[in-house]
Amino acid sequence: MHITQLNRECLLHLFSFLDKNSRKSLAETCHQLLEVFQDPSLWCLLNFHSPAELKKNNFYLGPALKYLSICWYSERVKVCNIEDWMKNSFQKDFCNRHENTVSDFLLEVCNRCPNLLSLTLSGCGHITDDCILLLLKSCPNLKTLKLENCVRITDRTLEAVTLHGGSLQTLHVDFCRNITRTGLERVREKRPWVMLRAERSADMIPDHKPEKKSTLEKASRKLVQL
């Protein structure tokens, strides 16, 4: 029996055992298998291990997507985590190549995947508060949001959680150095039922230029004297 003689249910079951690359390769052999590849029910879970994987076109985004994870643990993540004002030209060029990759992908998720339940982002150094805000608005059923080592995330994301995270049950903001204790306390106050974790976040040094820090310190001393 040829594989194309199997019914759709059997083909979907067969595809479910394959990884994204294998599914794409099989789908390219004929129109019938391509239709199976594009069946939304096959894509309720997506895991990516680098921004480059988001451009491979070996997956399908649709309303069936419930669980999404983008975790980048490469040594190159350290370059993205360097404060912008400290990066040399080589490091800036490296970041420019993929600065909007994850953000653009999440924009597509906002447009196509309203039933998302869980999102994990790790090492995504270019993700901003605006991106998370839009996602919270577009995916009202989101129950789990885990952010790790996302250096551009600030208290604005925590504020967005209090305003638009009505379904949220779990929030992790680990190693996100630009959030504060004040922001965390506000989440605990407004969303006491949320399981909140912020490992090594509020105690870390936020991003700012040395001269900016000096200006803030002088202003603080002046207020104390007044």
Side-chain angles (χ1 to χ4, degrees):
M1 177 182 289
H2 192 273
I3 186 173
T4 56
Q5 294 178 288
L6 297 173
N7 62 36
R8 192 176 185 85
E9 183 179 355
C10 289
L11 289 174
L12 282 171
H13 187 64
L14 174 63
F15 267 79
S16 69
F17 289 98
L18 304 177
D19 59 26
K20 295 191 294 295
N21 288 331
S22 299
R23 290 179 183 181
K24 181 63 175 178
S25 297
L26 186 58
E28 291 175 342
T29 60
C30 72
H31 291 296
Q32 181 182 350
L33 295 180
L34 178 61
E35 290 180 0
V36 176
F37 172 85
Q38 294 174 339
D39 191 308
S41 64
L42 194 63
W43 303 98
C44 63
L45 168 67
L46 280 174
N47 293 315
F48 299 94
H49 303 290
S50 76
E53 289 189 16
L54 303 179
K55 297 182 178 182
K56 284 188 175 181
N57 196 31
N58 58 357
F59 56 89
Y60 179 84
L61 287 180
L65 182 63
K66 301 292 182 62
Y67 307 95
L68 172 63
S69 172
I70 306 173
C71 297
W72 195 21
Y73 298 114
S74 167
E75 284 293 318
R76 289 175 291 179
V77 171
K78 294 179 180 179
V79 176
C80 300
N81 290 338
I82 298 173
E83 294 89 334
D84 289 338
W85 57 274
M86 289 185 63
K87 291 176 182 174
N88 57 39
S89 58
F90 173 80
Q91 293 166 333
K92 290 179 180 179
D93 180 64
F94 171 78
C95 288
N96 288 338
R97 297 175 190 173
H98 63 266
E99 183 173 7
N100 298 316
T101 301
V102 180
S103 297
D104 290 345
F105 176 79
L106 289 180
L107 180 59
E108 292 297 317
V109 171
C110 291
N111 293 331
R112 302 184 187 182
C113 313
N115 300 314
L116 190 68
L117 297 178
S118 176
L119 173 65
T120 299
L121 300 175
S122 179
C124 299
H126 299 292
I127 286 296
T128 65
D129 298 312
D130 290 335
C131 188
I132 300 300
L133 170 61
L134 180 59
L135 189 131
L136 287 170
K137 289 182 176 180
S138 304
C139 304
N141 299 320
L142 192 70
K143 297 182 182 299
T144 300
L145 176 61
K146 297 181 178 180
L147 306 174
E148 179 187 52
N149 208 11
C150 297
V151 297
R152 295 193 181 185
I153 295 301
T154 72
D155 285 357
R156 288 184 58 216
T157 285
L158 302 181
E159 180 68 18
V161 166
T162 65
L163 295 175
H164 307 288
S167 300
L168 210 62
Q169 298 175 357
T170 300
L171 174 63
H172 292 180
V173 282
D174 300 331
F175 294 88
C176 297
R177 63 176 177 246
N178 285 301
I179 66 171
T180 68
R181 291 187 181 276
T182 300
L184 294 172
E185 289 301 324
R186 185 170 180 80
V187 173
R188 292 190 177 99
E189 176 187 350
K190 299 292 184 179
R191 294 282 188 264
W193 59 86
V194 173
M195 296 180 60
L196 177 62
R197 191 179 80 181
E199 182 180 350
R200 298 288 300 278
S201 288
D203 294 328
M204 300 177 77
I205 300 175
D207 298 345
H208 45 63
K209 291 185 179 182
E211 57 267 24
K212 184 176 181 180
K213 180 179 178 182
S214 299
T215 301
L216 291 173
E217 289 177 346
K218 289 179 182 178
S220 298
R221 287 197 294 269
K222 186 174 181 180
L223 287 174
V224 172
Q225 291 174 355
L226 293 176

